[in-house]
Amino acid sequence: MSEKKIIFSGIQPTGTFTLGNYIGAVRNWAKLQEEYNCIYSIVDMHAITVRQDPVKLRQHSLEAYALIMACGIDPEKSVAFIQSHAPTHAMLNWILACSTQFGELSRMTQFKDKAAKHSDDVNAGLFTYPVLMAADILGYNADLVPVGVDQKQHLELARNVAQRFNQKYGEFFTVPDAYIPEVGAKVMSLQEPTKKMSKSDANPNACIFILDDKDTIIRKFRRAVTDSDSEIVFKEGKDGINNLITIYSAVTGKSFEETEKEFAGKGYGDFKTAVGEAVSDHLAPVREKFAQLMSDKAYLKDCYTKGAEKAMRISGKVVSKAYRKVGFVDSH
Ligand code: ATP
Ligand code: LTN
């Protein structure tokens, strides 16, 4: 048996990934592949907690799979699959739902935000979303979960559910830790820099999508909301500039201080263009790889089919043991 720790993470196929998804989560997934046993999923079952057009959801799921590969996930090194292809997640979801309290789900801020945003469809799936997320993670006994800071509360819940199950039935699930990057854990909207950049933002100028072309990226950065000051320094109250410095540092690897020095005495216009160029250059290989992958659907299918087989093999064992733990009669 390998001694490597286990990583699990997921992303919803709700549209092209933003720079936030990339810096906060997906690019770290690729970096972790060498050191850990990594399992990554396109969580289509989570996506239908808000209304999706079925034709678009199918397309977005395939694109999301190609996108994680374009961002460096190697399906030979990691297990990469589509969540609905592994029914073990839904099986474990039920078991864990019975160790989750109504009260704790009611406190989830993502639920409150999404319920307010989709007030015509506050369905049970939206409410129990974090239980399915716990099932994703615990079904592989993951040690670490690389996510952006917005998912911290869901991770806490997954830990509580694991601990509660372990108390009821005896030590079984690994209690997972969140793995949140130091820089870029919360990339902000370019139009409202106090809000997180989100795939489903109605204003396309608020987000950089990782497949945007160079001109679009530079144009969006040039329109980014900043402040009436003129200094390029990271400090409280300068949300727009802080966000741009964070993004620049995340893609160039330069520290905040180095960035401040580089742009000392320069204007916001120059800085915004430089951020746009750095981001576009950084993402150029992702755009190329994505186009190449989407032109070979048979290869993609082969990858996600094999990925699901591997995922089922691992989580199938965990689910069988969990069934036994709770007292279900063996079916064979
Ligand atoms: P949606 O807008 O459809 O709710 P989303 O853009 O919030 O989606 P998810 O699929 O929910 O994206 O998140 C995938 C991963 O990206 C998660 O780990 C999440 O924490 C991370 N993430 C999302 N937005 C940001 C952001 N602005 N900054 C850093 N990380 C982010
Ligand atoms: N809820 C996450 C997506 C997600 C996830 C997971 C992340 C679903 N299952 C398991 C990490 C581990 C989000 O980003 N909104």
Side-chain angles (χ1 to χ4, degrees):
M1 274 294 278
S2 113
E3 295 297 308
K4 284 183 181 175
K5 285 196 170 184
I6 301 167
I7 293 238
F8 185 96
S9 200
I11 187 160
Q12 301 185 76
T14 41
T16 307
F17 303 170
T18 67
L19 187 61
N21 298 137
Y22 177 77
I23 294 175
V26 182
R27 77 158 178 177
N28 304 314
W29 298 5
K31 291 183 192 158
L32 295 162
Q33 289 179 111
E34 309 300 329
E35 242 185 283
Y36 298 91
N37 282 331
C38 296
I39 303 150
Y40 297 125
S41 186
I42 305 304
V43 292
D44 52 352
M45 288 158 67
H46 278 102
I48 61 164
T49 55
V50 303
R51 206 179 178 97
Q52 302 291 338
D53 171 343
V55 173
K56 282 199 190 135
L57 179 64
R58 196 167 292 118
Q59 180 67 17
H60 284 152
S61 296
L62 295 174
E63 283 174 8
Y65 192 89
L67 271 176
I68 63 169
M69 284 175 70
C71 291
I73 308 303
D74 176 349
E76 298 289 328
K77 278 190 201 145
S78 298
V79 177
F81 71 108
I82 297 173
Q83 186 186 33
S84 61
H85 292 177
T88 41
H89 293 233
M91 293 160 85
L92 194 54
N93 174 64
W94 185 255
I95 303 279
L96 296 179
C98 299
S99 283
T100 308
Q101 300 302 303
F102 177 84
E104 62 186 339
L105 286 175
S106 311
R107 287 193 291 275
M108 295 294 112
T109 56
Q110 182 179 293
F111 170 70
K112 290 185 212 165
D113 293 348
K114 291 207 173 175
K117 200 166 156 200
H118 305 276
S119 55
D120 57 333
D121 185 18
V122 185
N123 61 75
L126 188 64
F127 187 65
T128 61
Y129 177 114
V131 182
L132 180 59
M133 180 161 161
D136 295 341
I137 299 164
L138 305 185
Y140 298 86
N141 277 313
D143 298 285
L144 290 175
V145 183
V147 282
V149 79
D150 62 304
Q151 294 302 311
K152 208 172 160 198
Q153 197 185 28
H154 287 164
L155 240 294
E156 273 305 314
L157 185 126
R159 289 170 58 86
N160 291 340
V161 172
Q163 281 160 345
R164 202 168 297 129
F165 184 98
N166 290 351
Q167 271 158 16
K168 278 207 257 181
Y169 300 109
E171 277 311 301
F172 181 59
F173 288 119
T174 303
V175 180
D177 283 311
Y179 187 102
I180 296 174
E182 270 171 38
V183 176
K186 192 170 186 188
V187 175
M188 309 310 270
S189 153
L190 298 185
Q191 291 299 313
E192 287 175 82
T194 51
K195 269 179 42 186
K196 117 178 159 139
M197 185 182 281
S198 165
K199 274 192 230 105
S200 39
D201 200 309
N203 181 351
N205 287 324
C207 300
I208 301 293
F209 294 106
I210 65 172
L211 298 175
D212 281 346
D213 60 35
K214 185 166 191 164
D215 289 349
T216 308
I217 293 178
I218 292 178
R219 180 171 43 78
K220 287 183 182 175
F221 276 112
R222 289 197 63 89
R223 286 191 188 165
V225 170
T226 45
D227 51 58
S228 54
D229 196 36
S230 61
E231 249 192 317
I232 300 160
V233 287
F234 193 101
K235 75 173 182 217
E236 214 178 319
K238 289 173 73 75
D239 300 314
I241 288 295
N242 294 350
N243 191 35
L244 297 185
I245 293 178
T246 303
I247 293 171
Y248 189 74
S249 296
V251 298
T252 59
K254 293 176 186 168
S255 67
F256 289 3
E257 295 73 38
E258 283 172 302
T259 304
E260 288 171 352
K261 263 196 208 132
E262 186 178 345
F263 293 97
K266 300 224 171 92
Y268 282 2
D270 289 344
F271 180 49
K272 286 176 173 178
T273 307
V275 179
E277 275 174 358
V279 167
S280 175
D281 290 351
H282 187 84
L283 293 176
V286 175
R287 293 195 287 269
E288 269 169 42
K289 184 92 194 289
F290 175 77
Q292 196 190 325
L293 285 162
M294 286 306 281
S295 67
D296 192 352
K297 300 270 169 29
Y299 173 62
L300 268 186
K301 186 169 184 185
D302 187 54
C303 294
Y304 65 69
T305 309
K306 287 186 179 142
E309 281 164 13
K310 290 189 220 163
M312 281 292 288
R313 224 173 295 136
I314 306 168
S315 54
K317 285 189 193 142
V318 177
V319 170
S320 296
K321 285 188 193 155
Y323 269 32
R324 216 165 299 140
K325 282 260 175 204
V326 301
F328 293 165
V329 174
D330 278 347
S331 60
H332 50 269

